[in-house]
Amino acid sequence: MTALLDARTAAEPEAIGEIARPLSIGERLWNLGWLRKGFLLALLFSLWEWYAVRLDNQLVFPAFSATVQALGDALVNGGLVSSILVSLKVLLAGYGIGIALAALLAVTAIGTRLGNDLLDLLTAMFNPLPAIALLPLALLWFGLGSGSIIFVLVHAVLWPVALNAHAGFSGISPTIRMVGRNYGLTGWRYARHILFLAAFPSLLTGLRTGWAFAWRTLIAAELVFGVSSGSGGIGWFIYENKNQLEIAAVFAGLLTVILIGIGVENLLFRLLEQRTVLRWGMKQ
Amino acid sequence: MTALLDARTAAEPEAIGEIARPLSIGERLWNLGWLRKGFLLALLFSLWEWYAVRLDNQLVFPAFSATVQALGDALVNGGLVSSILVSLKVLLAGYGIGIALAALLAVTAIGTRLGNDLLDLLTAMFNPLPAIALLPLALLWFGLGSGSIIFVLVHAVLWPVALNAHAGFSGISPTIRMVGRNYGLTGWRYARHILFLAAFPSLLTGLRTGWAFAWRTLIAAELVFGVSSGSGGIGWFIYENKNQLEIAAVFAGLLTVILIGIGVENLLFRLLEQRTVLRWGMKQ
Amino acid sequence: EVRELRIAKQYGLGYLPLIVIEEQRLIEKHARAAGLGDVKVTWATLGGGSATNDALLSGSVDFIASGVAPLIVLWSKTGGNVKGFAALDTSPLYLNTNNSAVKSIRDFTDKDRIALPAVKVSIQAIVLQMAAAKAFGPQNFDRLDRFTVSMKHPDAMAALLSGKSEITAHLTSPPFMFQELDDKRVRTVLNSYDVLGGPHTFNVIATTKAFYEKNPKLAGAVLAALEEADEYIRKNRKAAAELYVKASGTKESLTDVLSQLNNPALGYSTTPVNVARFANFMHQTGTIKTKPRDWKDLFFTTVHGRKGS
Amino acid sequence: MATAGTAPLLAVDGVTLQYRMRGHLVTATWRVSFQVRRSERLVLLGPSGCGKSTLLKAVGGYLKPVEGSITLDGKPVAGPGPDRVLVFQEFDQLLPWKTVRENVAFGLAAGRGIGRQEAVERAGEAIRKVHLEKFADAYPHTLSGGMKQRVAIARCLAMKPEIILMDEPFAALDALTRQRMQDELLELWDQARFTMIFVTHSIEEALLLGSRIIVLSPHPGQVREVLEVDPLAGPGRLNGADPEIGERIRRALFRDAAEYVI
Amino acid sequence: MATAGTAPLLAVDGVTLQYRMRGHLVTATWRVSFQVRRSERLVLLGPSGCGKSTLLKAVGGYLKPVEGSITLDGKPVAGPGPDRVLVFQEFDQLLPWKTVRENVAFGLAAGRGIGRQEAVERAGEAIRKVHLEKFADAYPHTLSGGMKQRVAIARCLAMKPEIILMDEPFAALDALTRQRMQDELLELWDQARFTMIFVTHSIEEALLLGSRIIVLSPHPGQVREVLEVDPLAGPGRLNGADPEIGERIRRALFRDAAEYVI
Ligand SMILES: Nc1ncnc2c1ncn2[C@@H]1O[C@H](COP(=O)(O)OP(=O)(O)OP(=O)(O)O)[C@@H](O)[C@H]1O
Ligand SMILES: Nc1ncnc2c1ncn2[C@@H]1O[C@H](COP(=O)(O)OP(=O)(O)OP(=O)(O)O)[C@@H](O)[C@H]1O
Ligand SMILES: O=[N+]([O-])[O-]
Ligand SMILES: [Mg+2]
Ligand SMILES: [Mg+2]
């Protein structure tokens, strides 16, 4: 983009160019985010291995190596792949619905005083309730199966996302709000074109928190709701193996969750962040 | 504060004063936040009562009136008061430690690139893990009892709070950061005087989310860690009553959580918000 | 009568008859024989007793498999609207310990912790209270309660076997109690059969009065299926073990499963045994408010003709 | 105060504006009245903190007067709308998630209902007028203060609203750029004859751009002086402004500061 | 370029400043060199976007040159510090969680290590100097643009730093307030003889305040002209600035725009 380098400059316009400070190989490697993270990850896994070996209690805390082996096993023979797919399907449904409802609630809350009170109240009431509290209602309304799990997931996602969205909306600079209104934008158009974008840093945090809590809840809920028609998810995989004291497999299930978490963070959220708030200078 | 009304004004300075538009009684009542919220709350509770009566299945979803009665009973005879105290004590410990660690992590992350990567990685890895995943380690390190529960609570609080804190820090306007640095502030002094205050709206959201998840986790954890009978908290109270199919008492336990939630939201967070970000114009 | 039957089972070898029924489609077969045509049977496996209760009470399933003690609580709290339909299995429960100083339940001290699935209302908790009443006198039935800790079987087993936790004893059921005994440090200090003076039912099948009364033929088909499955297991131990290993996806070896099935203390029968003893004890200690007249009070008429107790 | 002839487009009548704070009120303007005729270029002059921005926001529809009324074409102003486009005093008025071009085009598309394609074209034109064509694809946070304000000006002018409300739009610009922008504005006015309220603190700028100048008193703002710059003279480069009117403005502005009367 | 005599306090030597963006670089200034002697009042003049703010931030220690060096008292500038206090161009430079008084006092307490009590007192004094005593207990978001900037100026002056770096501090002020602030500043300089780099876009202001004036070229900024306003004349009210120097500045600034050469 040397086009940006204006030709109107006083002397020797050609001379004005990119000045790259030479970086040492070490610096250049260190600048690679995935390398730094890979390094940290290797460190954490080594720590795990070392501690487990020192502890020498495979029934409580199996070694990383044993876990990886169990993971390989489970992926090849143990049906872990299908468990992952089952879990992901339910998870995405719950996550999606939760986000949509959160958006609706937050937009209502920013638009009307009663909506604001309602969000305040509902969040204060329901956010601290554990998923098990919803179990009876979930069963009443959705019966056994993924309907109930999705319901519980929505509960896990909805409140933190709505909280972050609402806080994000409320923190938008008055000038930006006024600019939005100046275009005659109201209701959903105003929300879509102004609120959601101006509050994007907060929304991202909400999405991240919601994602994590959807996982936590999914795994817990799959134990409670069990399996019907033979297709359990990762939670059930963990539960079954725990019952058989296949602790390495249990940790393989958890490692799966961890790896999916790292993947989603780096391939989805981080990328999204880079293409939005970082590019827009809304975050350093 | 008529002192603000400058005497330098052109004509009749005495005439310049407060012009209060007269409000109707209805408007004035509607302006009272607690009245609006009380109204909404009454509405929600009526809805509960109505639905439960229509459903007529006290073992799955007892009526609000039955729940209130069970709550009164439990408060007077059932030892709910001591359960509340036990829970609150553990909760506050976990919440406090979680927040402190989150602050440490977030400050490190904002200060160094490796710290940033570490926070990214740890959050992506651990945030999606359910509390049960920590069970073996908790038992190993802290044994039965509140130590383990606190450990699990810290896990519940730490990641969402750190996530919000870090997002808040990253979103601080460059000008404010530069002003802070201009005073020669670095390290913890910089964090304390600039970062924490400039990111306060995000921190508040983090504290709210963390608080809610501490509760959720506490209740779940008290079941899992099965405190030796006698000294249990609200989670234990719910669990015991659920096992004995005293469903009204179960809902009384949940109602307690809801009421504490409303209380903390309105007496703590809302007040804090009013005295900080709202007064500072950082939130509308 | 309904065209679809929904049954919730739990995890483990105790539910083997249900697995046989599911795999061999025995209910479908007997329903057809009873002239009900094609009945669809839906199976769910749930992770715990509390979820099972909720599933039945919310109308999400028609039959559940449940422990004896939770059934008694259900019966009491619903005023008899939920009752046992048939017994499922007979099995002893062992109290295992890794503390060499403990020879009998009298030797537990404040340093010991006894893990069991749910204090007060699990069958394990009742057995322990019954043992305490025997050892220390009826009024001291809860003397050991302060040593008890609620833990899921696998967690408790891992804790006991690791030998480094506060958990020094575990009152548990198959297969965990056998697996624990594979460790040389672990011994049994209490057997529930000794406490009750003989075998007792461990799990039962339960349903609601409404369902039972509205679907008499289907109930008959379920009972017939249960009987056939029990018969099948008795006669084809090996095949039943193979079926279990295949259907449950367990990693236990066939030999292990078979040796458990061959244990004479374990059995599968629809006849309730010693259920009234539990109910009476639970009434004495105040865990339930109503006292059943006899064991038949706790069950539908399906099994009233048996020599139960 | 209304001059005979055309009916006023905008009537500000006895308007008091207040900010309600916890525990007290801040009065920004006190019973301010003036009228703006169609195609008039009204300049507001006044000391820092006297309520110029507040007044402009009230005309924009963002603030309701606690006393008095603001009517547009006879109808009370109910809220903000794209018929009155504001250039704010603040530097953060660009949408950070849009490039310079998108910022300008979005105003056209959202506020004026112009098709995407045409909006982008007209945006390009407006950006050229403020000499930012090299930065058309840059995001606002990479612009200097003056560049940001020029984008806001381009956005406003491109929208061709009935009424333009500008709050010290040129304050962050250097002398040359400022002169260019002033010329651009007058040229545009010559073509489109929009109505404009323009806040500035430069007396020279007021004389150059205004067809009428209102001088406000210090906080809380009241109308102190209304000066008609002969509108018939039309816009055009007043080389070193009319000294007599300049003198009157200075007297009105500096009345409270004896030592500064020039 | 250095004038003989006292050693320069600040030396900017061949400084190129760049912003690294995704995919490309933006060069803000190109090989800029100048020196500032102790107690000098250097004014930076230049077109919008030419890199004045960037240069000031580099001197403040917020940006590292990609080429060249900035040395203070012979030592390279390593980072920001309270010896060089900046008044930023942006309106959001006050800490929103502190009142006007606290903002000023905090600068003194944190940056200068002055005790709470004394800091508050000195803050009150500074606030009086910018005529905001009535708003001492107001929070920044309740202030007008010009009022905010005056608080920032008060904060900077109260801190009495060795070097003052001001980025268009008076741009949002009306003529009277501006004049007052200019006088205040010169008076203070007379007492404290601090060193100052002052960015402005007003030629009059440059002539009034500067002991030396540097004119920068358009983007990317290069030094185009250095004008020594006779420093021996000292500060004082230049009624209608030296016409000859003004002319030279105008020529330097307007060189690229033939139609505007005045
Ligand atoms: N959001 C607000 N809340 C409370 N008071 C405010 C707010 N905005 C402005 N004020 C007060 O209203 C008065 C007028 O402010 P306004 O911004 O209209 O002044 P102004 O004439 O535009 O000044 P400037 O030339 O400095 O921009 C000031 O006393 C200010 O303190
Ligand atoms: N944060 C940033 N990221 C990328 N580029 C920037 C950034 N800040 C400024 N620039 C670019 O650097 C150049 C110089 O900007 P700077 O703010 O220093 O100009 P300025 O001389 O202060 O202008 P003005 O008088 O308008 O304030 C501009 O081209 C601008 O686009
Ligand atoms: O901004 N002024 O140059 O007045
Ligand atoms: Mg203003
Ligand atoms: Mg600048």
Side-chain angles (χ1 to χ4, degrees):
Chain A
M1 285 281 285
T2 40
L4 280 184
L5 303 170
D6 194 330
R8 284 181 298 166
T9 44
E12 303 168 299
E14 314 75 26
I16 300 177
E18 309 206 349
I19 299 175
R21 255 183 310 181
L23 296 172
S24 72
I25 292 187
E27 278 180 301
R28 246 180 291 171
L29 288 178
W30 199 239
N31 277 343
L32 296 173
W34 59 266
L35 201 77
R36 289 197 315 274
K37 282 198 186 163
F39 167 75
L40 281 173
L41 205 57
L43 203 76
L44 289 172
F45 286 150
S46 311
L47 219 70
W48 171 357
E49 181 73 17
W50 168 81
Y51 182 64
V53 167
R54 217 199 56 158
L55 192 66
D56 190 23
N57 191 343
Q58 296 271 333
L59 276 183
V60 171
F61 192 65
F64 175 66
S65 51
T67 303
V68 169
Q69 204 177 331
L71 180 61
D73 247 39
L75 285 174
V76 178
N77 318 310
L80 182 56
V81 176
S82 81
S83 293
I84 294 175
L85 293 180
V86 167
S87 281
L88 277 181
K89 224 173 83 182
V90 177
L91 188 85
L92 289 180
Y95 191 55
I97 298 173
I99 290 171
L101 287 180
L104 197 73
L105 213 58
V107 170
T108 317
I110 206 74
T112 66
R113 195 150 66 162
L114 204 62
N116 192 58
D117 290 338
L118 192 69
L119 177 65
D120 255 22
L121 202 59
L122 290 180
T123 313
M125 286 170 77
F126 291 117
N127 206 5
L129 287 186
I132 47 146
L134 301 181
L135 193 66
L137 284 180
L139 284 173
L140 270 177
W141 293 339
F142 304 99
L144 282 172
S146 50
S148 279
I149 299 190
I150 291 174
F151 176 72
V152 174
L153 284 182
V154 167
H155 164 72
V157 173
L158 172 54
W159 311 114
V161 175
L163 210 60
N164 270 284
H166 186 239
F169 291 174
S170 318
I172 297 174
S173 108
T175 316
I176 292 288
R177 289 159 174 278
M178 286 195 271
V179 167
R181 293 277 180 217
N182 206 159
Y183 297 151
L185 297 175
T186 50
W188 269 102
R189 286 185 71 217
Y190 179 61
R192 191 159 69 90
H193 289 295
I194 306 294
L195 293 181
F196 284 124
L197 291 155
F200 214 75
S202 286
L203 294 183
L204 259 176
T205 310
L207 292 181
R208 278 186 163 120
T209 311
W211 171 256
F213 281 99
W215 267 111
R216 286 191 188 193
T217 307
L218 177 72
I219 293 172
E222 278 183 353
L223 303 192
V224 174
F225 289 100
V227 277
S228 21
S229 52
S231 57
I234 296 187
W236 189 254
F237 175 88
I238 291 173
Y239 175 74
E240 272 193 314
N241 280 292
K242 187 140 194 176
N243 270 322
Q244 300 175 26
L245 235 59
E246 294 285 348
I247 304 300
V250 170
F251 274 71
L254 296 173
L255 185 58
T256 308
V257 175
I258 288 180
L259 293 178
I260 294 178
I262 294 176
V264 167
E265 169 62 28
N266 286 288
L267 297 182
L268 201 94
F269 289 124
R270 191 123 269 276
L271 227 65
L272 189 62
E273 193 170 75
Q274 265 163 15
R275 296 184 164 233
T276 57
V277 290
L278 286 173
R279 170 194 287 228
W280 304 335
M282 290 163 88
K283 194 179 160 177
Q284 261 63 45
Chain B
M1 287 281 287
T2 39
L4 282 185
L5 304 169
D6 194 329
R8 282 182 299 163
T9 44
E12 302 167 300
E14 315 75 27
I16 301 177
E18 308 206 350
I19 299 175
R21 255 182 312 185
L23 296 173
S24 73
I25 291 187
E27 278 181 301
R28 245 180 293 170
L29 289 179
W30 199 239
N31 278 341
L32 296 173
W34 60 266
L35 201 76
R36 289 197 314 275
K37 281 199 186 163
F39 167 76
L40 280 174
L41 205 57
L43 202 77
L44 289 171
F45 285 152
S46 310
L47 219 71
W48 170 358
E49 180 75 17
W50 169 81
Y51 181 67
V53 166
R54 218 200 55 159
L55 190 69
D56 191 23
N57 190 344
Q58 297 271 331
L59 282 182
V60 172
F61 191 65
F64 175 66
S65 50
T67 303
V68 169
Q69 205 178 331
L71 180 61
D73 248 38
L75 284 174
V76 179
N77 317 311
L80 182 56
V81 176
S82 81
S83 293
I84 295 175
L85 293 180
V86 168
S87 281
L88 278 180
K89 223 173 82 184
V90 178
L91 189 85
L92 289 180
Y95 190 55
I97 298 174
I99 290 171
L101 287 181
L104 197 72
L105 212 58
V107 170
T108 317
I110 206 74
T112 66
R113 197 150 66 161
L114 205 61
N116 192 58
D117 291 337
L118 193 69
L119 177 64
D120 255 23
L121 203 59
L122 291 179
T123 313
M125 287 170 76
F126 291 117
N127 207 5
L129 286 187
I132 49 145
L134 301 181
L135 189 71
L137 285 180
L139 284 177
L140 208 60
W141 291 339
F142 303 100
L144 293 165
S146 50
S148 280
I149 300 189
I150 291 174
F151 176 71
V152 174
L153 284 182
V154 167
H155 164 72
V157 172
L158 173 55
W159 310 114
V161 174
L163 211 59
N164 270 285
H166 186 238
F169 291 173
S170 319
I172 297 173
S173 110
T175 316
I176 292 288
R177 288 158 174 278
M178 287 195 270
V179 168
R181 293 279 181 214
N182 206 159
Y183 297 151
L185 298 174
T186 51
W188 270 103
R189 286 186 72 216
Y190 180 61
R192 191 159 70 89
H193 289 296
I194 308 293
L195 293 181
F196 285 125
L197 291 155
F200 213 75
S202 287
L203 294 183
L204 258 176
T205 311
L207 291 182
R208 278 184 164 122
T209 312
W211 171 256
F213 283 104
W215 267 111
R216 287 192 188 192
T217 307
L218 176 72
I219 294 173
E222 280 184 352
L223 308 191
V224 174
F225 287 96
V227 198
S228 352
S229 29
S231 65
I234 297 187
W236 186 253
F237 175 88
I238 292 173
Y239 177 66
E240 269 201 312
N241 279 294
K242 177 115 197 182
N243 274 332
Q244 303 184 24
L245 280 178
E246 294 287 351
I247 304 301
V250 170
F251 275 70
L254 296 173
L255 185 60
T256 308
V257 175
I258 287 181
L259 293 178
I260 294 178
I262 294 177
V264 167
E265 169 62 28
N266 287 287
L267 296 182
L268 200 93
F269 289 124
R270 191 124 269 277
L271 227 65
L272 190 62
E273 193 170 74
Q274 266 164 14
R275 296 184 164 234
T276 56
V277 291
L278 286 173
R279 169 193 286 225
W280 304 336
M282 290 165 87
K283 192 179 162 177
Q284 260 63 45
Chain C
E1 304 201 1
V2 295
R3 311 294 313 149
E4 182 185 355
L5 189 65
R6 299 160 303 170
I7 306 178
K9 60 180 193 289
Q10 295 185 43
Y11 182 86
L13 191 57
Y15 303 91
L16 179 58
L18 298 178
I19 291 173
V20 171
I21 292 175
E22 180 180 5
E23 291 299 309
Q24 302 189 346
R25 306 182 152 269
L26 296 181
I27 291 177
E28 287 91 332
K29 180 177 128 191
H30 287 282
R32 230 174 287 119
L36 289 169
D38 286 330
V39 171
K40 187 175 169 224
V41 184
T42 316
W43 296 88
T45 312
L46 300 186
S50 170
T52 315
N53 283 353
D54 282 329
L56 183 69
L57 292 171
S58 67
S60 301
V61 295
D62 305 313
F63 284 95
I64 58 169
S66 158
V68 164
L71 168 75
I72 292 167
V73 174
L74 257 178
W75 168 83
S76 156
K77 279 284 150 40
T78 58
N81 271 321
V82 173
K83 286 193 201 179
F85 176 79
L88 195 58
D89 60 347
T90 325
S91 165
L93 308 166
Y94 293 175
L95 174 56
N96 292 334
T97 180
N98 62 8
N99 182 350
S100 53
V102 175
K103 309 288 184 215
S104 82
I105 58 167
R106 293 173 179 279
D107 302 329
F108 283 112
T109 68
D110 273 333
K111 292 212 180 68
D112 294 298
R113 285 290 175 275
I114 307 167
L116 39 78
V119 302
K120 286 189 186 162
V121 292
S122 66
I123 185 166
Q124 286 86 353
I126 307 296
V127 165
L128 190 66
Q129 287 187 342
M130 288 170 126
K134 257 173 123 176
F136 308 115
Q139 70 284 2
N140 290 324
F141 72 91
D142 59 355
R143 176 173 286 187
L144 295 175
D145 282 6
R146 66 199 160 99
F147 301 136
T148 61
V149 168
S150 285
M151 270 182 129
K152 293 210 160 49
H153 291 304
D155 292 326
M157 176 166 150
L160 188 77
L161 292 181
S162 77
K164 287 177 193 143
S165 78
E166 297 134 281
I167 305 295
T168 54
H170 186 197
L171 183 34
T172 182
S173 47
F176 304 102
M177 60 193 199
F178 298 127
Q179 289 169 8
E180 285 172 0
L181 288 171
D182 288 345
D183 191 313
K184 282 189 285 298
R185 293 166 299 175
V186 178
R187 289 166 302 106
T188 302
V189 290
L190 188 75
N191 179 334
S192 63
Y193 282 9
D194 297 336
V195 177
L196 282 111
H200 58 81
T201 295
F202 178 36
N203 289 304
V204 299
I205 305 287
T207 185
T208 61
K209 199 168 163 186
F211 183 86
Y212 181 74
E213 281 169 1
K214 281 192 198 126
N215 302 281
K217 282 188 190 162
L218 200 51
V222 172
L223 186 67
L226 269 171
E227 303 278 13
E228 187 179 337
D230 289 350
E231 189 64 24
Y232 176 83
I233 297 167
R234 267 195 295 281
K235 290 195 175 144
N236 310 285
R237 290 260 158 86
K238 181 119 189 289
E242 278 166 358
L243 192 142
Y244 176 77
V245 170
K246 180 178 142 266
S248 71
T250 181
K251 286 170 191 140
E252 291 168 275
S253 70
L254 185 61
T255 340
D256 283 352
V257 174
L258 197 56
S259 85
Q260 284 178 39
L261 274 184
N262 282 329
N263 187 322
L266 266 65
Y268 296 98
S269 153
T270 52
T271 307
V273 186
N274 265 329
V275 173
R277 292 272 306 277
F278 283 113
N280 291 339
F281 184 80
M282 286 167 81
H283 179 251
Q284 278 167 30
T285 60
T287 305
I288 55 170
K289 298 278 181 302
T290 39
K291 185 179 162 154
R293 262 171 286 122
D294 58 8
W295 69 272
K296 289 179 185 166
D297 233 12
L298 295 164
F299 283 85
F300 289 114
T301 50
T302 11
V303 289
H304 282 188
R306 312 296 166 84
K307 275 201 248 153
S309 54
Chain D
M1 216 171 279
T3 337
T6 49
L9 176 63
L10 181 83
V12 173
D13 190 18
V15 162
T16 298
L17 296 166
Q18 288 181 333
Y19 291 99
R20 183 174 294 274
M21 317 293 298
R22 292 162 59 86
H24 67 276
L25 289 170
V26 176
T27 304
T29 71
W30 180 256
R31 297 187 179 160
V32 168
S33 300
F34 60 83
Q35 300 186 336
V36 187
R37 293 176 299 263
R38 205 173 290 279
S39 297
E40 199 173 6
R41 305 183 310 280
L42 182 76
V43 168
L44 289 180
L45 262 176
S48 170
C50 78
K52 304 180 293 295
S53 299
T54 305
L55 204 50
L56 221 57
K57 282 174 192 163
V59 173
Y62 298 107
L63 277 168
K64 282 218 175 347
V66 288
E67 205 189 49
S69 71
I70 302 176
T71 52
L72 187 67
D73 244 345
K75 287 179 287 289
V77 165
D83 53 335
R84 286 147 291 145
V85 176
L86 248 156
V87 174
F88 294 88
Q89 188 176 6
E90 284 78 17
F91 291 132
D92 65 343
Q93 67 187 298
L94 302 180
L95 305 180
W97 55 89
K98 291 189 182 296
T99 61
V100 166
R101 193 197 312 280
E102 289 164 357
N103 257 287
V104 178
F106 180 68
L108 289 168
R112 287 274 149 209
I114 288 168
R116 180 99 205 105
Q117 181 62 34
E118 199 196 329
V120 169
E121 262 166 45
R122 272 171 62 175
E125 220 170 284
I127 291 166
R128 251 191 312 282
K129 287 214 175 111
V130 295
H131 306 285
L132 283 174
E133 53 273 43
K134 298 246 163 66
F135 291 89
D137 294 317
Y139 282 96
H141 75 283
T142 67
L143 303 180
S144 78
M147 288 157 80
K148 282 180 198 161
Q149 293 312 82
R150 281 186 277 157
V151 178
I153 295 163
R155 179 170 66 179
C156 168
L157 296 181
M159 282 177 77
K160 300 199 174 125
E162 264 196 282
I163 305 188
I164 285 179
L165 306 169
M166 291 196 166
D167 197 350
E168 309 191 15
F170 304 152
L173 301 182
D174 63 286
L176 174 59
T177 311
R178 189 172 195 149
Q179 234 166 278
R180 280 175 168 163
M181 297 304 316
Q182 289 166 342
D183 289 353
E184 204 71 67
L185 186 64
L186 288 175
E187 205 171 287
L188 263 173
W189 182 84
D190 229 12
Q191 290 158 25
R193 298 274 161 162
F194 46 76
T195 312
M196 173 166 85
I197 305 183
F198 192 101
V199 173
T200 181
H201 43 67
S202 157
I203 297 167
E204 293 72 36
E205 191 165 79
L207 291 169
L208 178 66
L209 295 179
S211 60
R212 196 145 52 101
I213 297 170
I214 290 182
V215 181
L216 295 172
S217 74
H219 172 84
Q222 290 170 276
V223 174
R224 184 170 270 184
E225 187 111 35
V226 180
L227 299 132
E228 301 276 342
V229 184
D230 187 6
L232 296 180
R237 202 57 175 279
L238 294 168
N239 240 326
D242 180 339
E244 195 197 317
I245 298 182
E247 192 48 42
R248 273 181 65 197
I249 295 175
R250 233 165 247 114
R251 252 208 306 280
L253 271 177
F254 289 23
R255 189 197 293 174
D256 311 299
E259 77 270 37
Y260 283 99
V261 174
I262 291 173
Chain E
M1 219 172 276
T3 336
T6 48
L9 176 63
L10 182 83
V12 173
D13 190 17
V15 162
T16 298
L17 295 166
Q18 288 181 332
Y19 291 99
R20 184 174 293 275
M21 318 291 298
R22 293 161 59 86
H24 68 274
L25 288 170
V26 176
T27 304
T29 70
W30 180 256
R31 296 185 181 162
V32 168
S33 300
F34 59 83
Q35 300 187 334
V36 187
R37 291 177 297 264
R38 207 174 290 278
S39 296
E40 199 175 5
R41 304 183 310 280
L42 182 76
V43 168
L44 289 179
L45 263 176
S48 170
C50 77
K52 304 180 293 295
S53 299
T54 306
L55 203 50
L56 221 57
K57 283 174 193 162
V59 173
Y62 299 107
L63 278 169
K64 282 220 176 343
V66 289
E67 206 190 50
S69 70
I70 303 177
T71 51
L72 187 67
D73 246 343
K75 286 180 288 288
V77 165
D83 52 336
R84 287 146 292 146
V85 177
L86 249 155
V87 174
F88 294 88
Q89 188 177 6
E90 283 78 19
F91 291 132
D92 65 345
Q93 67 187 297
L94 302 180
L95 305 181
W97 54 89
K98 291 191 182 295
T99 60
V100 166
R101 193 196 313 281
E102 288 164 357
N103 258 288
V104 178
F106 180 67
L108 288 167
R112 286 276 148 208
I114 288 168
R116 180 100 204 103
Q117 183 62 33
E118 202 196 328
V120 170
E121 261 166 45
R122 272 172 59 176
E125 220 171 284
I127 291 165
R128 253 191 312 283
K129 289 217 174 108
V130 295
H131 305 286
L132 283 173
E133 54 272 43
K134 298 245 164 65
F135 291 88
D137 294 316
Y139 283 97
H141 75 283
T142 68
L143 303 181
S144 78
M147 288 155 82
K148 282 180 199 161
Q149 293 312 81
R150 280 187 277 158
V151 179
I153 294 163
R155 179 171 64 180
C156 168
L157 296 181
M159 281 176 78
K160 301 201 173 122
E162 261 197 285
I163 305 188
I164 287 180
L165 306 169
M166 291 197 167
D167 197 350
E168 309 190 17
F170 303 152
L173 301 183
D174 64 286
L176 174 59
T177 311
R178 188 173 195 147
Q179 232 165 281
R180 280 175 168 163
M181 298 303 316
Q182 289 165 343
D183 288 355
E184 205 73 67
L185 185 64
L186 288 176
E187 206 171 287
L188 265 172
W189 181 84
D190 230 11
Q191 291 158 24
R193 299 276 161 159
F194 45 77
T195 312
M196 172 165 87
I197 305 183
F198 191 102
V199 173
T200 182
H201 43 65
S202 157
I203 297 168
E204 293 71 34
E205 192 164 80
L207 290 170
L208 178 65
L209 296 179
S211 60
R212 196 146 51 102
I213 298 170
I214 291 181
V215 181
L216 295 172
S217 76
H219 172 84
Q222 289 170 276
V223 174
R224 184 170 271 183
E225 188 111 35
V226 181
L227 299 132
E228 300 276 344
V229 184
D230 187 4
L232 295 181
R237 203 55 175 279
L238 294 169
N239 241 326
D242 182 336
E244 194 197 318
I245 297 182
E247 192 48 41
R248 272 182 65 196
I249 294 176
R250 234 164 245 115
R251 251 206 307 278
L253 272 177
F254 290 22
R255 187 197 294 173
D256 311 298
E259 76 270 38
Y260 282 100
V261 172
I262 291 172

